[in-house]
Amino acid sequence: MAVHDGRSRDGLAQAVLLNDPEFLRELVERALQTLLEEELTAHLGVARYERGEGRTGYRNGYKPRTLVTRVGLLQLRVPQDREGTFSPELFARYQRSEQALVLALMEMYLQGVSTRKVSEITEALCGTSFSKSQVSVLAGRLDSELATWRTRPLTAQAYPYLVIDARYEHVRVDGRVVSQGVLLVSGVRDDGHRELLAIEVADTESEATYQELFRSLKNRGLAGVELVTSDDHRGCLLYTSDAADDLTR
């Protein structure tokens, strides 16, 4: 049965990203590295390679910094300025904001990266409000990282067991709030480990929708399926019945 209960969203988000802890570590690391760069930009008054009358200093390389977090060790490069006046707020604020950051990144993955959410994170971690253009850059970089993970190759030789489900969320599309389905596919690999394979947004749970979903999974390397568990939605049942032979290869 499709899930409608928004209260379980945090739990689902954690299951999504903690399923691949290395991806989550890299995501947090790159997000913080980008925040450091933007914090120095705000301090100097100009971006890298820009000219401007409001410049207050110049960049001067990087200093390595290791940050211990719940998602692993982060290897960061702290940007420096020539005069030594730049002191990032991020590290002083990070430890008490870490959980909020990780949960926000998880939520972004499920709902899409919003500039509002990115703006809230940057203000909480850096104590400063970035411009709309800077926040858009940050959101775009996160969106790119998430897109790469969603289209990653499936590397196991076989995924004998699949579990398919859906939940419905209210989202804003073209100025209107509409209900859209979030299709979830998880699998058990031939080595016994569970892996979240796909999260896709769809208007309906039709046979065509599932055909497109599984075509994408096949192109990414899905093979060796022996058992598919799902609800009794007609679109899913029709497609998996017709494609049974193709999914096992």
Side-chain angles (χ1 to χ4, degrees):
M1 179 180 295
V3 177
H4 295 262
D5 187 359
R7 291 175 298 176
S8 63
R9 182 176 298 155
D10 286 348
L12 176 60
Q14 292 188 45
V16 168
L17 290 180
L18 292 180
N19 177 78
D20 190 344
E22 182 61 19
F23 166 72
L24 182 56
R25 186 194 65 77
E26 291 179 358
L27 181 63
V28 174
E29 184 176 83
R30 290 171 183 170
L32 294 184
Q33 184 64 51
T34 301
L35 287 177
L36 286 170
E37 299 288 353
E38 293 300 329
E39 194 175 352
L40 180 61
T41 293
H43 176 76
L44 298 179
V46 291
R48 184 181 293 277
Y49 307 122
E50 273 190 351
R51 298 176 181 272
E53 296 181 358
R55 177 186 290 276
T56 59
Y58 294 86
R59 287 172 169 76
N60 187 34
Y62 294 87
K63 179 188 298 183
R65 171 75 181 266
T66 299
L67 196 61
V68 179
T69 75
R70 72 189 67 208
V71 297
L73 289 177
L74 308 184
Q75 303 297 332
L76 301 173
R77 299 166 64 240
V78 183
Q80 306 291 298
D81 66 320
R82 290 183 186 175
E83 293 76 18
T85 58
F86 175 59
S87 178
E89 290 284 335
L90 186 148
F91 296 112
R93 294 169 175 262
Y94 179 75
Q95 293 300 330
R96 61 177 178 269
S97 303
E98 178 197 11
Q99 184 176 8
L101 170 67
V102 173
L103 289 176
L105 289 173
M106 291 176 175
E107 184 180 346
M108 282 187 222
Y109 178 77
L110 291 181
Q111 301 184 44
V113 180
S114 70
T115 53
R116 179 187 62 82
K117 181 63 69 175
V118 174
S119 180
E120 291 174 358
I121 293 174
T122 58
E123 290 184 33
L125 290 177
C126 301
T128 185
S129 298
F130 294 133
S131 68
K132 289 184 178 180
S133 61
Q134 288 173 315
V135 171
S136 294
V137 169
L138 292 170
R141 290 176 181 173
L142 285 171
D143 209 12
S144 176
E145 297 290 340
L146 296 172
T148 298
W149 185 82
R150 291 177 66 181
T151 57
R152 73 197 186 282
L154 302 178
T155 57
Q157 292 295 317
Y159 293 85
Y161 309 111
L162 297 185
V163 178
I164 306 170
D165 205 349
R167 59 180 293 120
Y168 282 84
E169 298 289 348
H170 288 94
V171 299
R172 187 175 298 278
V173 178
D174 296 329
R176 298 186 305 114
V177 176
V178 298
S179 178
Q180 287 195 318
V182 181
L183 309 181
L184 308 170
V185 181
S186 61
V188 178
R189 300 157 50 110
D190 53 1
D191 60 5
H193 288 85
R194 186 172 62 182
E195 181 178 348
L196 187 67
L197 306 182
I199 299 180
E200 299 293 341
V201 177
D203 293 328
T204 64
E205 289 185 77
S206 65
E207 183 178 357
T209 296
Y210 282 103
Q211 182 180 30
E212 181 178 352
L213 173 64
F214 277 96
R215 181 182 293 118
S216 172
L217 287 168
K218 285 286 291 183
N219 290 338
R220 289 169 52 202
L222 177 67
V225 178
E226 298 179 13
L227 176 66
V228 178
T229 303
S230 72
D231 60 17
D232 61 354
H233 195 283
R234 182 174 175 79
C236 180
L237 294 175
L238 283 174
Y239 176 74
T240 52
S241 296
D242 292 342
D245 291 340
D246 188 46
L247 292 176
T248 60
R249 292 196 295 268

